[in-house]
Amino acid sequence: MNEYDSKAVGDLLNSTHGFEISNNPEDADLILLNTCSIREKAEEKVFHELGRWKKLKEKNPNLKIGVGGCVASQEGEKIAKRAPFVDLVFGPQTIHKVPLLLDSSKENSLAIDISFPKTEKFDVIPKKNDFSPSSFVSIMEGCNKYCSFCVVPHTRGHEISRPLDDILEEVKHLSNKGTREIVFLGQNVNAYKDSETLENKKKGLGLANLIRQSAEIENIDRIRFTTSHPFEFGEELINVYKDVPELVNHVHLPLQSGSNKILKLMRRRYSIKSYIEIIEKLKKIRPAISISSDFIVGFPGETQKDFKATLDVVDEVGFDESFSFVYSPRPNTTAKEMEDLVTYEEKKSRLYKLQEKLTNNAQRISRRMVGKVERCLVTGVSKKDPSELQSRTENNRVVNFGDSDDSLIGKFVDLEIVDSRSNSLRGVLVQ
């Protein structure tokens, strides 16, 4: 979501003020930091980065510095107290107002707008005109779930869905520019509602309809979505995997914990049994489907028994690439007030055990792919070797292969997987 928003701000400033991206902060006239506050560590990084930029402003008083995103929404004017040299502050819903904030910012005066004007920003952001084989499309903002650990409803507001026709128009535009893969984005993406499903209680129906209609658009050959919530993963969405081959053989479905007790404390609104049932239904339709997830370790009240339950579910499901973190107390959340008796050392120890198991699972899946031919979308030049190309499999694995033919970028190729490495695969083009 932040990548999508950051690109949109850059495009907007280019069209309104003629700004271009600089790779060197010392050459910049304007530096914007788009932030995340889902974890405390990410939030602290914001102020460390601002501290480094303060020296740039001392050298160049005309330099403008802005902070956007969730930390901006959460902290507001407090940012100026910790970093008084910041000129503008904007929230996730007001990225379209950055040009106006920039114009109104004055010395010793903070220009700020962290309001929640629903989907107004999508009407202002210019259409993406550069070529990208895979493109993000934001379909909704905010979240209504109020999980006890999560700050998102406070920083991004309540769930607001974009009109279906607007999204389809953006997908068609991207398709005409050469995009072959669409990634639908939302904090709670399967809670998306179009005008026809607004009053319908069938979980996931809005996203299911969007996927079906997007798959009919010419040249859109792959569709992904993230991040989904198990509570909203209903039959309508599950059936799309049966009916729409363009929907990839991969789903990211955050579990957070393998303990029903912890899930209840987290206010996740599903049980391990109901989560496993979703996985079983998906695997019945797509036996080779890849499942990735998110996990929080050391949530207040988590015992060794609760943690072992998480490890057991990991073994049962066989998760692919997943994200896992030590619990981080966030402001304005109910979990922040819960008694936490687990030491940080114990939390780190549990995280290490979980990540070791998740890594082994992912590497096992990668090794099983060796010797198979995978249909891959060529996304660009390899980051490590400019003489090679980089691509992605349907289950989101990076595959590098020895070919410098740039005309392949944006096309699908068949690659035989010949080697499995820690963070990527190696492939050979099948003629």
Side-chain angles (χ1 to χ4, degrees):
M1 185 68 76
N2 274 10
E3 284 186 41
Y4 180 91
D5 285 349
S6 297
K7 180 67 170 61
V9 173
D11 291 344
L12 187 60
L13 286 168
N14 177 261
S15 65
T16 60
H17 287 63
F19 277 108
E20 295 180 356
I21 298 295
S22 170
N23 293 322
N24 185 1
E26 293 187 358
D27 296 334
D29 300 296
L30 170 66
I31 303 179
L32 299 178
L33 184 62
N34 198 6
T35 65
C36 173
S37 65
I38 201 74
R39 291 186 298 145
E40 185 177 17
K41 184 178 180 181
E43 182 181 329
E44 284 305 312
K45 282 183 177 180
V46 171
F47 293 99
H48 289 313
E49 192 69 34
L50 288 175
R52 286 191 284 269
W53 291 348
K54 180 182 179 181
K55 297 177 181 178
L56 296 179
K57 187 139 188 174
E58 290 171 351
K59 292 181 180 179
N60 177 15
N62 293 323
L63 172 66
K64 296 285 187 178
I65 296 176
V67 179
C70 288
V71 171
S73 181
Q74 174 185 300
E75 298 298 317
E77 293 182 354
K78 294 178 184 177
I79 290 175
K81 293 181 179 179
R82 290 186 64 174
F85 50 89
V86 169
D87 299 286
L88 55 149
V89 173
F90 55 97
Q93 310 294 68
T94 52
I95 61 172
H96 60 294
K97 296 186 178 182
V98 169
L100 295 175
L101 292 171
L102 178 62
D103 290 341
S104 63
S105 63
K106 299 177 182 178
E107 189 176 356
N108 300 321
S109 177
L110 181 69
I112 180 171
D113 191 332
I114 52 173
S115 59
F116 296 101
K118 298 188 177 181
T119 59
E120 180 184 303
K121 72 178 185 182
F122 297 108
D123 299 326
V124 179
I125 293 169
K127 288 183 177 180
K128 182 179 179 182
N129 285 314
D130 54 337
F131 163 66
S132 178
S134 178
S135 295
F136 294 128
V137 175
S138 183
I139 67 172
M140 65 177 299
E141 291 275 353
C143 184
N144 293 349
K145 293 296 178 286
Y146 283 92
C147 297
S148 65
F149 57 85
C150 187
V151 73
V152 165
H154 304 282
T155 58
R156 283 191 177 262
H158 290 162
E159 291 170 1
I160 300 292
S161 296
R162 290 178 67 189
L164 177 64
D165 290 344
D166 288 359
I167 299 171
L168 294 175
E169 182 183 345
E170 182 175 349
V171 174
K172 289 175 184 176
H173 174 76
L174 292 168
S175 170
N176 291 334
K177 291 293 179 181
T179 291
R180 305 293 299 277
E181 176 184 85
I182 294 294
V183 185
F184 289 128
L185 299 177
Q187 274 74 38
N188 186 16
V189 71
N190 47 333
Y192 172 77
K193 301 280 188 183
D194 58 45
S195 57
E196 295 180 7
T197 61
L198 198 58
E199 302 301 326
N200 196 305
K201 300 299 182 183
K202 291 183 178 179
K203 297 174 181 177
L205 178 59
L207 179 59
N209 287 346
L210 174 60
I211 291 170
R212 291 180 192 277
Q213 294 189 50
S214 298
E216 295 175 0
I217 295 173
E218 188 176 4
N219 294 327
I220 297 301
D221 297 310
R222 273 188 186 168
I223 299 173
R224 304 181 187 273
F225 59 86
T226 192
T227 291
S228 56
H229 194 296
F231 180 75
E232 303 278 1
F233 219 103
E235 295 292 334
E236 299 293 334
L237 188 54
I238 291 171
N239 288 335
V240 176
Y241 285 88
K242 179 169 56 180
D243 304 332
V244 181
E246 289 84 358
L247 184 58
V248 296
N249 220 23
H250 171 265
V251 63
H252 186 73
L253 193 61
L255 174 61
Q256 305 299 0
S257 172
S259 162
N260 282 325
K261 182 194 84 178
I262 297 300
L263 288 178
K264 189 173 182 180
L265 289 173
M266 290 179 168
R267 291 172 57 182
R268 290 292 287 172
R269 303 170 69 180
Y270 56 84
S271 65
I272 298 304
K273 181 175 181 292
S274 63
Y275 183 94
I276 296 297
E277 285 175 352
I278 295 171
I279 303 300
E280 289 175 345
K281 289 175 181 177
L282 289 171
K283 287 187 174 182
K284 187 175 182 180
I285 296 170
R286 303 263 189 106
I289 193 167
S290 177
I291 313 292
S292 59
S293 193
D294 294 339
F295 297 90
I296 294 174
V297 170
F299 188 81
E302 183 188 73
T303 63
Q304 282 289 355
K305 182 179 179 182
D306 296 319
F307 176 65
K308 184 180 183 304
T310 298
L311 297 180
D312 291 343
V313 175
V314 170
D315 286 334
E316 181 176 357
V317 174
F319 290 102
D320 202 341
E321 307 270 354
S322 295
F323 303 97
S324 52
F325 310 98
V326 166
Y327 166 72
S328 180
R330 306 311 298 127
N332 302 314
T333 61
T334 55
K336 187 174 184 290
E337 309 305 322
M338 293 180 183
E339 186 178 23
D340 188 359
L341 300 177
V342 184
T343 65
Y344 184 72
E345 289 71 23
E346 174 60 24
K347 291 177 183 180
K348 293 290 286 185
S349 174
R350 292 178 188 178
L351 180 66
Y352 175 81
K353 292 175 184 176
L354 174 61
Q355 289 183 337
E356 184 178 40
K357 189 175 285 288
L358 291 169
T359 299
N360 288 338
N361 278 354
Q363 291 178 345
R364 193 178 302 117
I365 292 170
S366 292
R367 287 194 296 270
R368 286 204 297 261
M369 296 173 70
V370 174
K372 296 182 179 179
V373 175
E374 296 283 339
R375 185 170 182 254
C376 300
L377 175 61
V378 184
T379 54
V381 176
S382 172
K383 294 179 180 179
K384 292 187 176 180
D385 187 345
S387 68
E388 296 186 340
L389 294 177
Q390 181 173 290
S391 65
R392 281 192 182 270
T393 63
E394 196 171 338
N395 67 341
N396 215 28
R397 287 288 196 284
V398 171
V399 184
N400 295 306
F401 64 103
D403 198 310
S404 57
D405 182 3
D406 289 355
S407 67
L408 292 177
I409 297 174
K411 296 179 180 179
F412 286 93
V413 296
D414 289 331
L415 295 174
E416 181 183 357
I417 308 303
V418 296
D419 191 17
S420 167
R421 300 185 177 179
S422 57
N423 295 310
S424 65
L425 301 171
R426 286 206 60 77
V428 174
L429 193 63
V430 176
Q431 301 295 334

